[in-house]
Every structure is written in C-alpha cells, then in structure tokens.
Amino acid sequence: MELYIALKVIWAVLLGVLLSGLGIMVGMDMGVGALLRFVGRTDAERRTALAVIGPHWDGNQVWFILGGGAIFAAFPTLYATSFSTFYVVMILLLFSMIMRPVAFEYRSKVDARRWRATWDWAFLISGALPMIIYGAAFGNVLQGVGFHFSWDGQYYQDGSFIWYLLNPFAVMCGVLSLALAVHQGGAMLMIRGEGPIAERARRYAVPAGLLAAALFAIGGVWVRFIKGFAYTAPVNPAMPATPLGGPSVAMRAGAWMDNFHQHPVLWLLPAVGLLGMVAGPLALAARKPILGWWLGALAWIGTIFTTGAAMFPFLMPSTTAPAQSLTVWNASGSAYNLGWMLAFALVFVPIILSYTAWAFRVMRGKVKTESVIANDHSY
C-alpha cells in the first residue's frame, strides 16, 4: 500500500519534470519562431535564425510526446477527461504544431518573397499560439473546469470551452507562458546568432523576461482570490482509481495557498521562479546569454512546480462536482503500471537528456549567415 502511494507521488513529480522540460526546450523553439519576423529583417537573417534551432527543434518535440505520454500512462483518467474537455483547444494546438514542420520543409522550396513571407507568418503563429494555449491550460485548471461523471463513469462536460480558453486569468497565464518562451528563444538566438540578429533578440528577450516576472507576481496575488479546492475530510491516498464516491471537497478563496502555509519550504519554488525571471533578463542585458538561458530554464521549473505545489494533490478540479475532481490519488494507473513506467522512465529520460546535451555540444558555436546562404536549400 505504501509503495502504491509512493509511486503516485513520484509520478506527480515526474509529470512536473516532463512539463518543465516541455516548457524549456519546446518553449525555446517556439520563442524563436515567434521572434522570427522581428529579429530577421532580411531573408538571409531569417534563414540564419531558423538555422539556430534547425538541428534541434524536431528532437525537442520529444518533450511534448513525453508529457502527453506520461499523462496517458500514469494518469489515464486525467488524460481522457482533459483531452475531452479541451478538445477544440487541442485541435487548435495540434493544427498550429503541424504547421511548424511543414514551414521548415517548404519555406526554402520557392525563392519568392511572398512565398517565404507566408511561411514566416506560419512560424509566428505556430510559435506563439501553442505557448499561449500551454499557459492558458494551467490557468484553467487552477480555476477548475466544469465536468462531472455519471454513476457508470461516463464523462459529461458542463459549460463552454470558449470561457475556459478566454477568461482573463487564463489569458494572463497564456501571456506569461509566451513571455517565458520568447525569453528562452531570444537567449538561444543570442548564444548562436551574431550581429544584428543577436542584438535584436536581446532587445525583445529582456522585456519579455521582465514581463513574465510581473505577470508571475500578479498571478501570485490573483490566485489568493481564486476559489481553490480542498478536502474537507481525511483522504486515503491509496484510494481506488475512480473519481466516484470520493471524500467531499470544498471550494473557497485562498485554498491554493494551504500547502504553502502548511509547508513553508514550498515558498522556495515561487522564489526560484521569480529569481529566474528577474535575473535572466539582467544576464541577457549584460550580454551573458548562456547564463540567461539557464536562468530562463530555472524560471520555467519554478513556475511549473509552484503550480503543482499549490494544487497538490488536485490535477483537474471540477467546479460543478468538486467531489469528483481528479487528483493524484484517484486518477492514477495501477501500481503495476506505475512501477513499470517508472522503470522505463529511469532508463530513457537520462538517455534523452544525454543525447540532447550531446547534440547541443556538437552543434555549439555561432551560425554564420554566409554558410546558410551558401546552402540554397536550407530553411
């Protein structure tokens, strides 16, 4: 029984790790795409900016797959419910991400200004939209989502997805996510770009990081007034993996702060996030992009884990049936499943980290515009 509870907690932490990796690595690529039309004034400069992430962007998509795969395998009820609730949003996300590889492949096929400008807009949309949706998703689950289950476990959605996507708090979270991505992408353009590309990237990345810090601080105050969720009776962490028949849950303003009040050490998480958001832009302003990139990664980690610490053990709370909220305790897979998944994760996640580090080491150094121009079929 204790092992099952431990596996649930471990996978909750691993989910945070994978979502942080998604924000850092995929967010970096998305940030470059969102900045493309602004840091590149000529076709040669835009091709150079794309060459900065060209060797890595497709490999970084593994974090997107890992995040979705982890939810599917470790928390199958959460996977089914969230993908159903946000179905239209997921279609928008997938459509925008499908545009991205197509843009990489087709942009250089025709040497025409209008053709390439069209694909540059595709890069902007496929860079900005997924990150806005990513952040808005966190904003939505913090506020709770309207859904419930019938006696036979059938899922029913309550309310409109438009409100889930466009409510003010979710929009703020989406802009925060995009700002972190722009900072991360700008830092990478400074690391591997040169001349006007690096300088323009710095001019956009610095205010983006500071904007993220401001929004993070505002969100920290705002969340105190949001109706959070809390158990009103003792809960058995080893409960069956079903949202039916669980203990009662109350909605009250400030409930998301309970874990921080009970465990003050958790305040280190938002402190780390805010430190990264403030110190990262300062490092970029001082033309220390490598330090700025790592501080941006720290900002992502602090942001994701602050959200997780506030909500734990809730994963996707229900506003219409709070007692049926999905949590780490009632939405997980079996102990057998979690155990085997952990074994695979302990093998393959270090492999992914190793080959990612190796790829970046091999491809280190500045991208020369002359070399990109010499290759007529690149980007």
Side-chain angles (χ1 to χ4, degrees):
M1 196 69 68
E2 290 77 8
L3 176 60
Y4 189 27
I5 297 172
L7 286 171
K8 291 181 178 183
V9 174
I10 289 171
W11 267 104
V13 174
L14 279 176
L15 181 59
V17 171
L18 297 176
L19 292 177
S20 297
L22 192 160
I24 295 167
M25 304 306 295
V26 177
M28 175 187 70
D29 297 335
M30 300 296 184
V32 172
L35 285 172
L36 182 63
R37 292 186 59 85
F38 304 100
V39 299
R41 303 288 173 81
T42 66
D43 181 65
E45 289 178 349
R46 291 176 183 177
R47 290 174 63 190
T48 303
L50 291 174
V52 168
I53 60 170
H56 308 292
W57 73 269
D58 47 355
N60 289 339
Q61 298 300 305
V62 72
W63 293 100
F64 182 77
I65 298 170
L66 282 175
I71 297 174
F72 172 77
F75 301 103
T77 307
L78 173 65
Y79 178 89
T81 306
S82 62
F83 276 55
S84 297
T85 301
F86 301 115
Y87 181 79
V88 176
V89 178
M90 290 294 179
I91 293 298
L92 288 174
L93 175 63
L94 290 175
F95 177 75
S96 63
M97 294 193 71
I98 288 171
M99 290 172 61
R100 188 173 183 80
V102 175
F104 266 104
E105 293 297 325
Y106 278 79
R107 186 185 186 279
S108 64
K109 300 303 182 186
V110 178
D111 187 10
R113 182 177 180 180
R114 182 173 295 181
W115 172 269
R116 294 188 173 183
T118 300
W119 291 113
D120 291 343
W121 278 108
F123 275 115
L124 190 152
I125 295 170
S126 64
L129 184 60
M131 298 315 299
I132 292 174
I133 291 175
Y134 187 58
F138 281 95
N140 282 315
V141 296
L142 276 166
Q143 297 174 98
V145 181
F147 68 92
H148 71 277
F149 298 92
S150 63
W151 64 270
D152 58 355
Q154 177 64 45
Y155 155 85
Y156 292 92
Q157 181 176 342
D158 306 311
S160 168
F161 80 91
I162 294 294
W163 173 248
Y164 298 151
L165 182 63
L166 299 179
N167 71 80
F169 184 76
V171 170
M172 188 202 70
C173 293
V175 175
L176 168 59
S177 174
L178 177 60
L180 288 174
V182 168
H183 174 273
Q184 205 74 359
M188 179 52 63
L189 286 171
M190 289 180 65
I191 292 171
R192 300 203 64 209
E194 57 182 6
I197 295 175
E199 185 59 29
R200 293 180 196 128
R202 184 176 71 90
R203 291 206 300 264
Y204 286 105
V206 170
L210 295 176
L211 173 62
L215 293 176
F216 187 70
I218 293 171
V221 176
W222 197 337
V223 80
R224 293 173 178 268
F225 301 96
I226 290 176
K227 284 189 176 182
F229 295 74
Y231 284 114
T232 59
V235 59
N236 177 18
M239 67 172 65
T242 174
L244 300 177
S248 61
V249 174
M251 294 177 59
R252 56 179 171 80
W256 290 143
M257 307 305 296
D258 288 355
N259 287 340
F260 293 96
H261 296 321
Q262 295 169 11
H263 309 283
V265 69
L266 293 177
W267 286 104
L268 289 174
L269 295 173
V272 165
L274 195 58
L275 172 65
M277 294 175 206
V278 173
L282 294 178
L284 296 185
R287 291 179 171 81
K288 297 180 179 179
I290 295 177
L291 176 60
W293 190 94
W294 283 106
L295 288 168
L298 200 66
W300 269 112
I301 293 169
T303 302
I304 298 295
F305 276 90
T306 294
T307 305
M311 294 187 62
F312 188 86
F314 291 90
L315 296 172
M316 186 174 169
S318 169
T319 55
T320 52
Q324 296 183 357
S325 297
L326 300 181
T327 70
V328 173
W329 312 136
N330 69 13
S332 65
S334 66
Y336 183 81
N337 175 46
L338 296 179
W340 272 105
M341 285 296 299
L342 179 60
F344 283 116
L346 292 175
V347 173
F348 288 104
V349 171
I351 291 175
I352 292 170
L353 292 172
S354 297
Y355 78 63
T356 300
W358 174 82
F360 274 89
R361 178 172 175 79
V362 170
M363 298 293 177
R364 67 187 183 277
K366 297 289 186 178
V367 176
K368 304 292 184 180
T369 302
E370 297 79 9
S371 300
V372 176
I373 295 175
N375 187 350
D376 292 335
H377 301 290
S378 65
Y379 314 112

